[in-house]
Amino acid sequence: MADQEEDFSSLPFSDRFVNKNWKVRKQAYEDAAKEFEKTPDESHPVFKPFLQDSSLWKAAVADSNVAAQQDAITALCAFLKYGGTQACLRTRNHTISSIVEKGLPSTKAGTKQSSLEALLLYVELDKADPIIEEVLPILANKQPKIVAATLAALTAVIHAFGVKICDPKPVLKALPKVFGHADKNVRAEASNLAVELYRWLREAMKTLFWGELKPVQQQDLEKMFEAVKQEPSPKQERLLRSQQAVVAAASSQGDEEDGAEGEDDEAEELAEIDTFDLAEPVDVYGNIPKDFQESLASTKWKDRKDALDAFFAIANVDRIKDGPFDEVIQIFAKSMKDANVAVVTVAANCIDVLAKGLRKSFAKYRSRLMAPIMERLKEKKQQVADALGQALDSVFASTSLSDCLEDILEFLKHKNPQVKFETLKFLIRCLKNTRQVPSKPETKAIADTAIKLFTESSEATRSGGAEILGTLMKIMGERPMNPYLEGLDDIRKTKIKEYFDTAEVKAKDKPKPVAAPPKAAPPAQKKAMNKKPPAGLKKPTQRASTPQPEEPVSLQPRPTTGRSIPSKLGGLPKPGLAGPSAGMKLQKKMTGPGGAAPPYLPSPKRSVTSPAYEDETGPAPKLGRGLAGRPLGKPAPAPSESSAPAPPPGMTAAERAELEELRSEKDRFQHSNEDLRADKSKLTSQIHELRNQNAQLIEDHTRDVLSIKAKETQLVRARSDAESAEQTVAKQTREIERLKRELNRTVRAGSPTRSPSTNNGGTDHHIYRDSSFSSNGTAAQTSGAERYNSAMSNSREVGYQRARNYMHSPSEEKENGGLEGEVSKEGTLMVSNESDGGRDGETERDAADGNGPSRERGVKDPQWQKAHEVTIKLKARIEQMKAKQGLSRPA
């Protein structure tokens, strides 16, 4: 047995790992783990057999012997720990399933712990997605203990690395199935996994699986979630190898504190994961109704609103698949100008959900929508203003502060106070929610605009300006903001300080700590400058004692030339301060040697080219005479001479000329850039003014059109009234003519019986007869009177019959409406007396002359009385009609 053991130990690991004797395999696993721990790095030869034949580990972790299996998994952990990324990538496809199915459900605690550690190492060495993809299918295993162990392993992996490393979506999709498992242990582990996911995702996780759970399970989970809600935001407990390398590099540079702050910031970002990161994209563009554009072009506001409501119902999802929404965006921009506020509100809600669903993909549409939305902020209804503000916030979330700042600052100058105030509130929200620290030009623009708001008449606007400065100070710090607050009074400074204390921002002001490393370079430069002046003081003695060959060796020309570039305005003290402007690289080359020996080493090399400059710049030694030997007239040649020797240490004359050209080009480009910016701002202001004028003209035109339409409506109504009045007048005129004709016809019918020529002559003759009238004529007159009376009685009967027919005609009944009964008998008798007074007189005179029978017939005849009554009634009605129409009675 001893010989066999010695022989086995001398065999390579590849043979011992597959030996039939479990003791040999167990010893091989232990020896391999020890060898892995002794290796200095990942390239040690002991790893090669296992990297070349990764299947060795597949059989090892699934060893049939429990004791050997424990040692095999322990050896695998050592192999992964010391073998590095290649050990992970080469073996994970062969070992994950065996570890989960054989190691995690093991009855030995050591095997379970080693198996879980192996899974964590696989995640640590690369990433979690391949491991989770290998583990999730095992949830469908028929053995409940394997499913429960798998869920526990997933919980441990997510607890250690967090959801930023481990994608939670595949796990969340698999939860409903395991919650419906028949085994209670599986359901319990599923609940633990859901609670762990809730620690990281909060309410965002419910969108993917909550609706598929039973109500009882939802209630149980809610109770478990209540305990988690009180806990602080979780942090990543175990770092990946890549993250460990970053932390190590940061610690080596002395930035351990910054690294810790970075980790805290990452933890905060992890806590803000929302449903957008977990949801699947929905194709909203393909579900838009075909008549969407036609409905929005309708003249009825109800149709436009219904179309927008339909789009809102489609787009109100957690995540939207990107598509060509250009036409839809154009329609929304047009809807912002709609006259109906309900349409504007729904359009703003549609923009809100579309921006939230597209996120960064919505940034390309910002320029089309932001200006119309902010222009519509003039609405005073709070419901409309809230919808527009929410839409602006969603648009801002898809872009950045730099993209939106220009439009915001322009609308802060708007003439409408409501637009200015709502834009002010929007800027404050942007500063609080942005994660991008404003640049110095942006900070200056914001601060200047906020200070101008202090001159507004509205107290709310002035307070908004103070809040802007306080929030900006929270982001940038108090010191950078002090220059902008110098001209303000103490009251406003106190108010700004109050907003500064209460403001909550998300921006990370990291540029300030980063600026510390460059400060380490200036001290080195200052030391070099402090060393060089003493050398400059000594070098006059060297120049006096030595010839020209020592001039290029000396360090005096280097500091003077390096400093003399900006020294054209003054003496030597100023160049020392302005030296960094000549370029950091030149200064590093000048101060790099540090000691006196290194400058002497390159100086002989440069002496080959330096004589040309020395010959050209003969007065150069005059620079070393000291401060007392410089008259006022000589600094002019000194800068030119000193500026010429500047390039020799690092560049030739051609390079120097090219450098000067580049600097001049840079200046030209800067000036042109400033001019273009000024032109752009001017054009932008002109555009906004023209837009405002156009909007005013449109409003005036609309008002004029409405007034014209109102006048036209009034004119049409007046015309219709005039026509109806004319018709009424014509009708009344015709009626009057008809009544006149009837009256004439009635009068004409009765006139022959009253006025025959013979009777008139006889009556006149009888009235005016003389006393000499003979008695013979009396008989003749009597016989004529009898004929007259008989004719009169016949004519009266005919007139009475005609009058009765006329009185009972339908038209007369309609027109007079029963006026017939209104005429009193007294009035009738009065009219009859007036109209027939002459006849009664004639009758009485005839009776006096001896014609008594004719008088009795004229008075007592009932037909005669009826005819008179009818005639009188007609005359009364005619007079009433004339009085109503305003007609005068004919003479």
Side-chain angles (χ1 to χ4, degrees):
M1 294 294 295
D3 296 339
Q4 292 179 357
E5 290 178 1
E6 291 176 1
D7 293 337
F8 287 135
S9 60
S10 62
L11 293 176
F13 284 115
S14 58
D15 294 338
R16 295 168 64 185
F17 267 48
V18 296
N19 195 286
K20 295 181 179 180
N21 191 341
W22 68 272
K23 294 183 179 179
V24 175
R25 297 195 303 272
K26 184 176 183 298
Q27 187 63 38
Y29 301 150
E30 294 176 355
D31 295 343
K34 294 177 182 179
E35 291 293 330
F36 295 149
E37 294 177 359
K38 296 178 182 179
T39 56
D41 53 25
E42 302 172 359
S43 61
H44 196 274
V46 74
F47 296 109
K48 289 184 180 180
F50 300 98
L51 294 175
Q52 293 174 355
D53 188 7
S54 302
S55 61
L56 293 174
W57 292 110
K58 182 178 182 180
V61 297
D63 200 303
S64 58
N65 187 274
V66 178
Q69 182 189 18
Q70 182 175 354
D71 292 335
I73 297 175
T74 303
L76 176 61
C77 292
F79 175 73
L80 295 173
K81 184 177 181 180
Y82 299 104
T85 306
Q86 289 298 321
C88 167
L89 298 177
R90 295 288 182 89
T91 60
R92 66 187 178 189
N93 293 333
H94 302 281
T95 59
I96 295 296
S97 59
S98 299
I99 291 173
V100 175
E101 293 179 354
K102 302 293 185 180
L104 291 176
S106 177
T107 56
K108 300 189 70 173
T111 305
K112 283 185 177 181
Q113 187 65 29
S114 299
S115 300
L116 182 59
E117 179 64 21
L119 289 177
L120 295 176
L121 283 171
Y122 274 118
V123 175
E124 177 183 328
L125 289 170
D126 185 28
K127 54 184 180 180
D129 294 342
I131 309 304
I132 294 176
E133 290 178 1
E134 291 283 343
V135 171
L136 286 178
I138 303 176
L139 293 177
N141 197 291
K142 295 181 179 180
Q143 298 184 22
K145 65 176 183 178
I146 295 177
V147 179
T150 304
L151 292 172
L154 288 173
T155 304
V157 170
I158 294 175
H159 181 81
F161 294 98
V163 294
K164 202 72 176 180
I165 305 300
C166 307
D167 187 9
K169 286 193 289 187
V171 180
L172 288 171
K173 291 180 181 179
L175 276 180
K177 185 176 180 181
V178 293
F179 268 107
H181 201 279
D183 188 77
K184 63 178 182 178
N185 295 327
V186 175
R187 296 196 299 271
E189 291 295 339
S191 300
N192 294 335
L193 178 57
V195 172
E196 181 61 34
L197 289 170
Y198 187 82
R199 290 179 64 242
W200 296 90
L201 303 176
R202 301 298 179 181
E203 297 297 326
M205 63 176 288
K206 294 184 178 181
T207 57
L208 292 181
F209 78 101
W210 195 254
E212 301 180 23
L213 300 181
K214 297 179 180 179
V216 178
Q217 294 174 338
Q218 294 179 358
Q219 295 175 1
D220 295 340
L221 288 177
E222 287 290 351
K223 293 179 182 179
M224 301 174 72
F225 292 162
E226 289 296 329
V228 178
K229 290 179 180 179
Q230 306 300 328
E231 298 179 1
S233 300
K235 298 180 181 180
Q236 184 177 347
E237 297 180 356
R238 190 161 179 169
L239 301 178
L240 301 178
R241 285 290 174 90
S242 58
Q243 295 175 329
Q244 293 175 12
V246 174
V247 173
S251 62
S252 64
Q253 296 176 0
D255 295 338
E256 295 180 357
E257 297 180 358
D258 296 341
E261 292 178 359
E263 292 177 8
D264 295 340
D265 296 337
E266 290 179 0
E268 292 178 2
E269 292 180 0
L270 293 175
E272 295 179 1
I273 296 176
D274 56 6
T275 56
F276 181 83
D277 301 318
L278 305 177
E280 294 293 333
V282 179
D283 185 12
V284 172
Y285 183 78
N287 297 329
I288 298 176
K290 296 181 179 179
D291 59 343
F292 180 66
Q293 297 183 4
E294 298 178 358
S295 300
L296 285 174
S298 175
T299 56
K300 297 181 180 179
W301 70 269
K302 187 66 175 176
D303 296 342
R304 299 194 300 272
K305 182 177 178 299
D306 292 342
L308 292 172
D309 286 332
F311 181 86
F312 179 82
I314 297 171
N316 191 16
V317 294
D318 296 327
R319 192 169 185 175
I320 298 175
K321 183 180 178 181
D322 193 12
F325 289 99
D326 300 87
E327 296 181 357
V328 178
I329 295 299
Q330 185 177 358
I331 291 173
F332 290 158
K334 185 178 179 181
S335 298
M336 288 295 104
K337 302 178 181 179
D338 199 287
N340 190 280
V341 293
V343 177
V344 176
T345 304
V346 180
N349 294 334
C350 293
I351 295 172
D352 178 28
V353 296
L354 189 62
K356 287 180 179 178
L358 290 175
R359 290 288 176 93
K360 297 301 180 183
S361 301
F362 191 82
K364 55 189 174 183
Y365 306 122
R366 181 203 61 82
S367 58
R368 302 187 192 178
L369 287 174
M370 181 164 282
I373 295 175
M374 297 177 74
E375 188 68 35
R376 193 65 191 220
L377 289 173
K378 61 185 179 182
E379 292 293 338
K380 295 184 179 180
K381 291 186 177 180
Q382 191 61 35
Q383 183 180 2
V384 182
D386 293 342
L388 295 172
Q390 184 64 33
L392 286 173
D393 292 342
S394 300
V395 172
F396 170 75
S398 65
T399 56
S400 63
L401 180 63
S402 300
D403 296 334
C404 303
L405 187 59
E406 184 177 355
D407 290 337
I408 294 174
L409 295 180
E410 286 295 330
F411 275 91
L412 281 176
K413 305 174 185 177
H414 202 278
K415 60 182 181 180
N416 192 317
Q418 183 70 16
V419 175
K420 186 180 296 184
F421 181 66
E422 293 295 334
T423 306
L424 177 67
K425 293 165 59 178
F426 175 53
L427 177 58
I428 295 171
R429 295 196 300 270
C430 293
L431 291 175
K432 290 181 178 180
N433 296 323
T434 183
R435 293 189 177 275
Q436 175 187 359
V437 178
S439 62
K440 289 184 178 180
E442 292 173 350
T443 303
K444 184 178 184 303
I446 296 172
D448 293 343
T449 305
I451 291 172
K452 291 179 181 178
L453 295 176
F454 286 130
T455 60
E456 294 291 331
S457 59
S458 175
E459 173 61 24
T461 306
R462 295 196 298 271
S463 300
E467 187 173 0
I468 289 176
L469 291 174
T471 308
L472 189 61
M473 184 184 294
K474 193 76 171 181
I475 298 174
M476 305 301 299
E478 296 186 41
R479 185 175 179 183
M481 292 297 295
N482 286 334
Y484 304 108
L485 307 182
E486 291 180 354
L488 301 179
D489 53 17
D490 295 337
I491 297 176
R492 290 174 179 172
K493 288 182 180 179
T494 305
K495 199 165 189 178
I496 293 171
K497 184 66 176 177
E498 293 176 357
Y499 284 115
F500 166 74
D501 295 334
T502 59
E504 296 180 0
V505 297
K506 298 180 180 179
K508 302 176 181 61
D509 192 11
K510 291 184 179 179
K512 298 175 187 176
V514 174
K519 293 179 182 178
Q525 295 173 1
K526 290 179 182 178
K527 290 180 182 178
M529 292 179 181
N530 293 333
K531 291 179 181 179
K532 291 173 184 175
L537 295 175
K538 294 178 182 179
K539 282 176 185 180
T541 59
Q542 292 177 359
R543 289 176 183 172
S545 62
T546 57
Q548 292 181 354
E550 290 184 359
E551 292 179 0
V553 177
S554 64
L555 294 175
Q556 182 181 358
R558 294 180 185 176
T560 54
T561 55
R563 300 171 191 171
S564 61
I565 293 175
S567 66
K568 297 178 181 179
L569 299 176
L572 290 174
K574 296 181 180 178
L577 297 174
S581 64
M584 295 299 295
K585 294 183 180 179
L586 294 177
Q587 291 180 359
K588 289 181 180 178
K589 291 180 180 179
M590 292 159 55
T591 59
Y600 289 99
L601 293 176
S603 60
K605 298 178 183 179
R606 295 170 185 168
S607 62
V608 178
T609 58
S610 62
Y613 295 96
E614 291 175 359
D615 295 337
E616 295 175 359
T617 60
K622 295 180 181 179
L623 295 172
R625 294 180 180 178
L627 298 175
R630 290 185 298 166
L632 296 175
K634 290 185 179 179
S640 62
E641 293 173 358
S642 62
S643 60
M651 60 179 66
T652 62
E655 292 176 348
R656 175 181 172 280
E658 185 178 358
L659 178 62
E660 294 298 331
E661 291 179 0
L662 292 175
R663 287 177 179 174
S664 61
E665 289 181 2
K666 179 183 176 182
D667 295 336
R668 286 198 303 271
F669 287 149
Q670 288 179 350
H671 290 302
S672 62
N673 190 12
E674 292 176 357
D675 295 339
L676 291 175
R677 286 183 179 177
D679 294 340
K680 180 181 178 182
S681 61
K682 186 185 298 182
L683 293 175
T684 304
S685 61
Q686 292 178 359
I687 289 172
H688 285 293
E689 290 177 0
L690 291 175
R691 285 179 180 174
N692 296 333
Q693 293 177 3
N694 188 21
Q696 187 64 31
L697 291 175
I698 290 173
E699 292 179 359
D700 296 341
H701 176 69
T702 304
R703 186 166 53 252
D704 295 340
V705 170
L706 293 176
S707 62
I708 290 172
K709 289 184 177 180
K711 296 291 180 57
E712 290 180 351
T713 304
Q714 295 176 0
L715 182 60
V716 171
R717 291 178 179 176
R719 286 178 179 174
S720 61
D721 294 340
E723 292 177 357
S724 61
E726 290 177 357
Q727 293 177 0
T728 304
V729 170
K731 182 178 179 181
Q732 297 296 337
T733 304
R734 289 194 299 271
E735 184 63 23
I736 291 171
E737 293 295 333
R738 187 180 64 81
L739 292 175
K740 287 182 179 180
R741 287 194 298 271
E742 291 294 336
L743 179 61
N744 294 332
R745 189 180 301 113
T746 304
V747 173
R748 197 180 302 117
S751 60
T753 60
R754 288 185 352 180
S755 59
S757 58
T758 55
N759 292 341
N760 288 339
T763 305
D764 294 338
H765 179 73
H766 184 72
I767 293 173
Y768 297 102
R769 68 177 181 271
D770 199 357
S771 58
S772 58
F773 186 72
S774 60
S775 60
N776 295 328
T778 302
Q781 184 68 24
T782 302
S783 61
E786 290 177 355
R787 289 193 301 272
Y788 171 77
N789 290 332
S790 62
M792 180 64 71
S793 62
N794 294 332
S795 63
R796 286 174 180 171
E797 291 178 0
V798 174
Y800 170 76
Q801 187 66 29
R802 290 181 178 177
R804 185 175 57 184
N805 294 336
Y806 173 77
M807 285 299 296
H808 292 284
S809 63
S811 61
E812 187 66 17
E813 290 177 359
K814 292 180 182 179
E815 293 167 359
N816 298 310
L819 289 174
E820 183 177 339
E822 296 177 0
V823 182
S824 62
K825 293 182 179 181
E826 296 176 357
T828 302
L829 294 174
M830 290 171 62
V831 175
S832 62
N833 290 333
E834 288 180 2
S835 59
D836 297 352
R839 291 181 183 173
D840 293 341
E842 292 178 359
T843 309
E844 291 174 359
R845 283 190 297 271
D846 293 338
D849 294 337
N851 297 327
S854 63
R855 181 177 180 272
E856 292 178 0
R857 186 171 55 246
V859 174
K860 295 180 180 181
D861 190 357
Q863 293 180 355
W864 168 260
Q865 293 179 358
K866 288 182 181 180
H868 275 289
E869 291 176 1
V870 171
T871 304
I872 291 168
K873 289 179 181 180
L874 285 174
K875 289 181 179 180
R877 289 179 185 175
I878 290 171
E879 293 296 332
Q880 291 178 0
M881 292 297 295
K882 288 181 180 180
K884 288 182 180 180
Q885 296 298 329
L887 299 176
S888 58
R889 186 173 181 180

